[in-house]
Structure formats: structure tokens, C-alpha cells
Amino acid sequence: MKQWWRRWSYEIPLAIGDALWDVLVVQLAALLDRLTLRKVIAFIPVAIIVLAYYHRIPIPPELMLIGDFLAYIDVFSVVILLGVLSRVTTLLFVVKQAAVRVAALVGNIAAQLGRLDARHRRQRGAATRPHRKPGLSEDERARGGAWGQVAFA
């Protein structure tokens, strides 16, 4: 009888307490750790449907549509994301094309400036036409070309 009393007054309440602790604290904490916003949003339509079938509480149709929207939020988010990404890719394409055109324009300007460069003159060792000495006039030929130099001195 003492064992029976000890078992029912001591061991069984402790086992029930340990089971309740495990379920209500440990497993609930593990569930809350795994809980994400997506799971919460996915549970909202279920709660709305349960309330809709519970006939004592009237639920307006708008609330049911919100529940459907939340049920399909993944589809809506993908559609919105694709819309945003298509705009981003379009903008990136336009920016890329503009960069290519600016680079081509800068290249053309650099090539034109190289052609208009006036700093590079002919090299000194380059072959040039020989300078002609002015020809002697008929008077100087008659007097002799060598005497013309002496006459000026």
C-alpha cells in the first residue's frame, strides 16, 4: 500500500509534470524557433476558414478574399518580383548601351585629337628639297659672278 501511495502521489504527478514541461515548454520553444513569417502567413487563411465555418461569428467576404490573397502570397510575390527584375534588367541594358556609346565617343574624340596635333613637326634629319640659289642676272654674268661679291664688300 505504501508503494501504491508513493507511486500515485509522487511518481505519477512528477511524470505528468515532466510530460507537460516537455510539451508546453521544450517542444513549444522548438516550434517557435522553427516558426517563420511565411508559416504564420500561411496559417492565417486556415484560421479564417475555421472562423467562417464556426457559424456564430459572421465573417464578411472581404476577409475571405484577404485570406485567399494571403494563401497565394507566394504567387503574387513572384509576379511582383519578376516585374521589378524586368525593369531592373531593362535599366541595366540601357545603362550598358549608354556606356558603350560614351566609350566609343571618347575613343573617336581621342583619335581626332591625335590627328590634329600640331606639336610634331618634321624631323630634322628628314630629306627636304635642296634650296636653289638665286640665279645670276645677265649683268652679273657679264661682270663675272665672283666679282659681284667683292663689289659689295
Side-chain angles (χ1 to χ4, degrees):
M1 181 73 164
K2 200 173 193 181
Q3 250 184 344
W4 181 82
W5 180 255
R6 178 185 165 106
R7 185 170 183 209
W8 281 99
S9 66
Y10 183 70
E11 292 176 5
I12 294 207
L14 285 178
I16 292 172
D18 287 344
L20 286 175
W21 175 264
D22 184 46
V23 170
L24 296 176
V25 176
V26 176
Q27 289 182 10
L28 182 62
L31 175 73
L32 291 177
D33 276 344
R34 292 188 314 263
L35 190 64
T36 61
L37 182 63
R38 182 177 174 167
K39 288 182 180 179
V40 170
I41 290 174
F43 182 72
I44 290 173
V46 173
I48 290 173
I49 289 173
V50 168
L51 288 175
Y53 285 107
Y54 191 63
H55 294 292
R56 294 186 187 164
I57 301 173
I59 294 182
E62 298 87 19
L63 195 58
M64 295 297 290
L65 290 174
I66 290 173
D68 289 342
F69 175 75
L70 290 174
Y72 295 113
I73 192 117
D74 295 336
V75 176
F76 290 121
S77 64
V78 167
V79 168
I80 290 169
L81 184 65
L82 286 176
V84 169
L85 285 178
S86 67
R87 288 183 184 149
V88 168
T89 54
T90 303
L91 287 174
L92 287 176
F93 177 75
V94 169
V95 168
K96 181 180 163 185
Q97 290 293 338
V100 166
R101 289 186 184 197
V102 166
L105 180 66
V106 168
N108 287 340
I109 290 173
Q112 292 296 328
L113 287 177
R115 289 183 196 148
L116 296 176
D117 193 11
R119 293 178 293 163
H120 301 293
R121 302 205 182 258
R122 288 186 186 159
Q123 295 178 356
R124 292 185 182 216
T128 59
R129 290 188 298 172
H131 296 291
R132 291 182 133 200
K133 294 182 180 177
L136 298 174
S137 67
E138 290 180 19
D139 294 334
E140 291 176 351
R141 272 189 235 143
R143 283 185 297 180
W147 294 106
Q149 299 262 346
V150 176
F152 287 116

